[in-house]
Amino acid sequence: MHLPNLLEIKGDVLLASNGNLQSITMPSLRRIGKSFDLNNNQLLTNLELQALVEIGQSLYIYDNKKLNLLDFPFLAKVGGNVGILDNGAAPSLWFPSLAEVLNNFNVSATAYTCINFQVLTVGGLLGEVSVQGSNVLDFCAGVTAADLECGHHS
């Protein structure tokens, strides 16, 4: 699915259980007014939302077993929860501009080796942080492993 001229979605985005979907590119999309939910797309390998700055409510990406990379270079704010769960092939999560998550931030899987939060700090999280099941984690900046172990998430 290639939508090169889409700038904003005022409502929700739900892309679920699409058996033939292999790629999603929305290179100009800057804002999603409500939630973005991407789940159970078994052939999906590519997700490109390089211009996305804000999601008004929640971001859920789960059970996309072949998804290679989760890269949100300009995403600065999520107005609800972030849930990144069981995306088998994606070794890294890149959120270098994420400064605010207005609810919980949950990551669960065994494949992630680096979770990059360049600017996200504990003060930018209004809910809980949960990172489960990852073998090796490198919190590149912002939220550190020590913050999580000590229960700092307010």
Side-chain angles (χ1 to χ4, degrees):
M1 174 176 23
H2 182 63
L3 301 170
N5 299 318
L6 185 62
L7 299 175
E8 179 177 4
I9 298 171
K10 295 187 185 291
D12 293 307
V13 175
L14 172 62
L15 298 166
S17 302
N18 294 290
N20 294 319
L21 184 63
Q22 295 179 15
S23 179
I24 299 169
T25 58
M26 298 181 210
S28 302
L29 182 65
R30 295 191 41 82
R31 184 172 191 283
I32 297 171
K34 293 191 177 181
S35 293
F36 182 83
D37 187 337
L38 179 68
N39 72 78
N40 197 32
N41 298 289
Q42 297 306 312
L43 297 180
L44 182 66
T45 59
N46 185 43
L47 173 63
E48 293 183 28
L49 301 171
Q50 269 56 33
L52 188 63
V53 174
E54 180 181 354
I55 297 173
Q57 292 180 357
S58 295
L59 168 65
Y60 295 113
I61 300 176
Y62 59 95
D63 291 330
N64 300 287
K65 301 299 183 195
K66 293 186 178 183
L67 193 56
N68 291 323
L69 175 66
L70 293 172
D71 182 11
F72 295 88
F74 298 107
L75 184 62
K77 180 179 180 181
V78 177
N81 294 309
V82 172
I84 311 290
L85 311 166
D86 299 320
N87 296 292
S92 299
L93 303 178
W94 295 96
F95 294 94
S97 301
L98 189 61
E100 285 185 271
V101 175
L102 299 183
N103 211 329
N104 300 322
F105 193 102
N106 299 302
V107 175
S108 176
T110 57
Y112 304 125
T113 57
C114 181
I115 300 175
N116 186 317
F117 308 107
Q118 292 290 327
V119 297
L120 182 64
T121 64
V122 174
L125 291 164
L126 297 183
E128 295 182 357
V129 174
S130 172
V131 178
Q132 300 176 348
S134 294
N135 293 325
V136 178
L137 292 177
D138 175 13
F139 291 92
C140 302
V143 175
T144 66
D147 289 331
L148 297 177
E149 290 168 7
C150 295
H152 299 247
H153 55 263
S154 57

